[in-house]
Amino acid sequence: MKIVIGNDHSAVEMKLEIVKYLEELGYEVINIGTDEKTSIDYPSYGFKVGEMVMEGKADLGIAICGTGIGISLAANQVKGIRAFSCSEPYSASLARKHNNANVLCFGARVVGVELAKMIVSSFLEAEFEAGRHEIRVNMIRGYRNEQN
Ligand code: RB5
C-alpha cells in the first residue's frame, strides 16, 4: 500500500518519525514535504496530499500540522477527500471502518510520537465496513456534489 504524507513546518520531526515507522511496517511512502522548519502555509500541503490520493498516486494520505485542524480543512477541499483530525487510535480506526476516511490528520503539537504511531497503525489496519455506512458516506458525497 502506498501512503502520501505531507506536513507544515511545525511537524517536520514528527513527519520524519512517521515516515520511518511506515517504512518499517512495509508501506511505500511518498513524502511531499515540507522538510524545512521555515514557516510555510499548511493549506498547500493539505491540498497536495488530497490531490495525490484522488489522482490515484497513493492509496491513503497522512497530513500533519500543529493541531491537525488546518491541514484537514485544506485536504477536505479536494473533491472526494474525507480527511479528519484526531488524537487517539479509536477514532482513527472508526474513521476508516465507518466513514471511509482517506486522509488521516493529527497535530504534532498535540500528540507525542508514540501515540501518533498508534493512531497511524489503527487507521491503516482498519478497513471500510460499507453496508449501512456506505449509505451515509454516499449522502455526504451527494450533498457535496450538489454544491459545485
Ligand atoms: C502553524 O503555526 C499552525 O497554525 C498550523 O500548524 C496548524 O496548527 C493550523 O491549523
Side-chain angles (χ1 to χ4, degrees):
M1 192 189 281
K2 218 182 269 185
I3 310 297
V4 57
I5 188 165
N7 58 282
D8 76 359
H9 53 279
S10 69
V12 174
E13 280 158 14
M14 172 68 85
K15 189 271 302 290
L16 294 174
E17 290 288 344
I18 297 300
V19 167
K20 199 162 51 164
Y21 177 62
L22 289 168
E23 287 172 346
E24 281 165 13
L25 293 178
Y27 291 100
E28 193 177 328
V29 184
I30 307 168
N31 172 16
I32 60 142
T34 181
D35 288 340
E36 306 295 329
K37 289 187 184 170
T38 43
S39 184
I40 52 86
D41 300 321
Y42 61 79
S44 310
Y45 292 84
F47 299 150
K48 184 73 183 163
V49 167
E51 286 164 2
M52 296 280 287
V53 172
M54 292 319 296
E55 287 163 7
K57 294 177 181 156
D59 299 294
L60 291 170
I62 298 176
I64 319 168
C65 65
T67 59
I69 296 170
I71 208 159
S72 65
L73 293 173
N76 272 319
Q77 300 312 306
V78 180
K79 204 167 180 180
I81 287 299
R82 289 174 296 278
F84 67 106
S85 178
C86 93
S87 310
E88 37 73 31
Y90 177 73
S91 299
S93 175
L94 283 183
R96 288 275 319 122
K97 290 179 179 170
H98 289 190
N99 311 115
N100 202 12
N102 47 15
V103 175
L104 161 69
C105 306
F106 55 88
R109 293 173 177 158
V110 179
V111 299
V113 171
E114 294 309 314
L115 181 55
K117 289 179 186 173
M118 291 173 74
I119 292 168
V120 165
S121 59
S122 299
F123 176 67
L124 297 178
E125 285 162 19
E127 281 179 23
F128 183 45
E129 290 174 357
R132 68 185 192 280
H133 304 299
E134 189 149 37
I135 296 166
R136 294 157 185 168
V137 171
N138 286 341
M139 283 175 71
I140 297 170
R141 182 184 293 123
Y143 183 85
R144 175 72 175 86
N145 287 345
E146 283 169 17
Q147 298 290 296
N148 50 39

